[in-house]
């Protein structure tokens, strides 16, 4: 049961590292992952959170899932959790219509939902749909930071760009003309 939160992912990574005799590598992986997650979290801090639907074959990820935590950490507001969905469950068209997602996100191995009410949502009207790599998004491992970063960049492009600009050293040596 290592798939409910980012902390679960960190614990699983360290456990697997111990099991295969690579404790230090696992600890470094967890530290790098924590750092990247914190960078995303800080980049979107204080930003308005768009309503997000993550859907795959009429199912969604509600609260108590690491996918929910990915969406929230990236600066989104998971409409499935807001509708009281826990774990993974079907989402009704009524909930989609009522919650009116501003972004619809799907894994790369699933089609975008079609028809009503999806086509009337803000997400579809404003062409705010996003596909993420299914292998990274749907498997509770350190690579979840890749789709998390993609989501943060999509939801908050200016804030994310600004956060990355300030995190990049600016005193790097520059070439001087000959």
């Amino acid at each position: 049961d290592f798939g409910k939160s980012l902390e679960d992912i960190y614990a699983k990574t360290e456990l697997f590292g111990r099991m295969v005799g690579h404790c230090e590598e696992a600890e470094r992986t967890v530290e790098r992952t924590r750092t990247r997650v914190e960078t995303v979290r800080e980049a979107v801090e204080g930003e308005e959170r768009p309503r997000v639907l993550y859907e795959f074959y009429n199912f969604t990820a509600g609260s108590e899932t690491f996918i929910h935590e990915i969406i929230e950490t990236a600066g989104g507001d998971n409409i499935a959790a807001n509708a009281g969905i826990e774990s993974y469950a079907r989402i009704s068209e009524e909930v989609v219509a009522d919650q009116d997602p501003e972004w619809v996100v799907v894994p790369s191995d699933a089609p975008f939902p079609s028809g009503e009410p999806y086509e009337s949502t803000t997400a579809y009207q404003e062409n705010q749909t996003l596909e993420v790599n299914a292998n990274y998004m749907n498997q509770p491992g350190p690579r979840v930071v890749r789709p998390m970063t993609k989501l943060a960049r999509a939801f908050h492009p200016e804030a994310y760009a600004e956060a990355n600009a300030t995190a990049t050293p600016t005193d790097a040596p520059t070439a001087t003309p000959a």
Side-chain angles (χ1 to χ4, degrees), residues 65-106:
T65 66
F66 70 94
I67 292 173
H68 166 72
E69 196 166 344
I70 290 169
I71 293 166
E72 296 284 320
T73 302
D77 184 25
N78 184 358
I79 68 166
N82 294 342
I85 295 173
E86 295 178 357
S87 193
Y88 300 95
R90 291 193 176 274
I91 188 163
S92 73
E93 292 179 348
E94 292 80 12
V95 168
V96 173
D98 184 52
Q99 295 286 322
D100 185 26
E102 295 167 274
W103 283 92
V104 172
V105 180
V106 299

Side-chain angles (χ1 to χ4, degrees), residues 18-74:
R18 284 194 305 273
M19 291 171 63
V20 299
H22 291 279
C23 296
E24 290 178 18
E25 291 90 339
E27 288 174 15
R28 281 195 299 272
T29 298
V30 168
E31 189 54 39
R32 279 192 312 270
T33 304
R34 284 184 190 275
T35 299
R36 291 180 69 190
V37 167
E38 194 55 36
T39 297
V40 170
R41 188 174 277 131
E42 288 174 6
V44 302
E45 187 176 350
E47 296 294 316
E48 193 168 314
R49 296 178 167 273
R51 296 177 308 278
V52 179
L53 170 63
Y54 182 75
E55 185 169 317
F56 52 100
Y57 302 105
N58 293 332
F59 281 83
T60 191
S63 63
E64 299 181 30
T65 66
F66 70 94
I67 292 173
H68 166 72
E69 196 166 344
I70 290 169
I71 293 166
E72 296 284 320
T73 302

Side-chain angles (χ1 to χ4, degrees), residues 83-167:
I85 295 173
E86 295 178 357
S87 193
Y88 300 95
R90 291 193 176 274
I91 188 163
S92 73
E93 292 179 348
E94 292 80 12
V95 168
V96 173
D98 184 52
Q99 295 286 322
D100 185 26
E102 295 167 274
W103 283 92
V104 172
V105 180
V106 299
S108 54
D109 60 355
F112 281 96
S114 61
E116 291 300 331
Y118 300 96
E119 292 174 10
S120 295
T121 64
T122 300
Y124 277 56
Q125 295 296 312
E126 295 184 9
N127 197 28
Q128 295 185 154
T129 59
L130 189 62
E131 180 180 275
V132 292
N133 185 311
N135 291 322
Y136 300 153
M137 185 72 167
N138 293 351
Q139 296 180 27
R143 292 183 180 168
V144 298
V145 295
R146 291 180 181 184
M148 181 188 301
T149 300
K150 185 174 184 175
L151 294 176
R153 284 183 179 143
F155 302 160
H156 307 288
E158 289 104 21
Y160 194 83
E162 183 178 313
N164 276 338
T166 60

